[in-house]
Every structure is written in structure tokens, then in C-alpha cells.
Amino acid sequence: QVQLVESGGGLVQSGTSLTLSCAASGRTSRGAATGWFRQAPGKEREFLSAINWSGTNTYYGDSVKGRFTISRDNAKNTVNLQMNNLKPEDTAIYYCALETSGWSRFIHLERSYDYWGQGTQVTVSS
């Protein structure tokens, strides 16, 4: 089993930055990819970004490209999502997820992921 715990959420003002962390524990495997998603009230879960095990491949959803940066520290089993220039429409619950099969062209799809964290709330005030 794998456990994922997100942290770093909170209430921030528009235009500021925030960094979320996803800590993995348990039977994490080399080769697994990690993704970030978010879900706003009344909306479907949205893909934000993903990174492969080695950190050599990253992928971003159009809504956050250029503002968000994903990175990882395998020594600490963490994946971070740095979010810049936050906007009120970024308000959502943010989830990290683990894809144990590794990188694929379906990395942006929810169904590609095997494990999910509980989520962390990010609220951006105007």
C-alpha cells in the first residue's frame, strides 16, 4: 500500500505564491509518476501537472502552464507544486496521486492513477 499526504494549502491573497507538497510512504516504487489535480466546488477534477520518477519529464495542464512548477525530491519521497500568481479561480481542493505504471501519454487522466491523497484546501481571496 501507498500513502500520500498533501500539505501546504491555506488562505492566500490573489497574486501571491504557494507551494504544495506531496509526501509518499509505504510501497512506493521506482518508476512511478506523480500527478497533481484539483477540484473546485461544483466542478470536475482537473489535471494540473505530472512528473516522472527521475524528474526528466513534466507535463502541465493548459490552465496552469507558466504559473505552476512541479518538482520532486526522491531522497525525501516528496513532490512539490509551486504555484505563482494565484488567482481566485485557483481556489479548490488540491490532490496528489501516484501512477505506479510510470509515464504514459495518458498521464493527464484520473484513471491512470492508482493512489490518491486526501487533498489540501487552497483558497485565494481577491
Side-chain angles (χ1 to χ4, degrees):
Q1 282 289 349
V2 173
Q3 293 79 42
L4 302 174
V5 179
E6 303 94 338
S7 62
L11 172 63
V12 297
Q13 291 190 330
S14 180
T16 61
S17 299
L18 200 61
T19 299
L20 304 181
S21 290
C22 173
S25 61
R27 291 190 172 186
T28 56
S29 60
R30 298 177 68 86
T34 302
W36 282 96
F37 292 75
R38 69 184 177 189
Q39 189 165 22
K43 295 188 177 180
E44 293 186 352
R45 195 168 294 188
E46 175 189 14
F47 170 78
L48 301 177
S49 184
I51 188 167
N52 69 340
W53 175 261
S54 63
T56 54
N57 284 337
T58 58
Y59 186 60
Y60 294 94
D62 289 341
S63 64
V64 302
K65 200 175 297 183
R67 292 194 301 129
F68 290 12
T69 303
I70 193 170
S71 63
R72 69 184 307 139
D73 183 344
N74 286 341
K76 297 180 180 179
N77 272 349
T78 59
V79 173
N80 293 332
L81 185 69
Q82 181 179 346
M83 308 184 294
N84 296 328
N85 190 23
L86 285 164
K87 307 173 183 180
E89 50 264 40
D90 293 317
T91 295
I93 299 175
Y94 284 68
Y95 300 91
C96 66
L98 194 72
E99 206 271 27
T100 58
S101 299
W103 197 258
S104 78
R105 60 191 177 101
F106 303 115
I107 202 69
H108 61 293
L109 299 179
E110 283 186 65
R111 66 172 186 262
S112 295
Y113 293 84
D114 305 294
Y115 298 97
W116 291 81
Q118 294 298 307
T120 185
Q121 175 72 46
V122 173
T123 304
V124 184
S125 64
S126 58

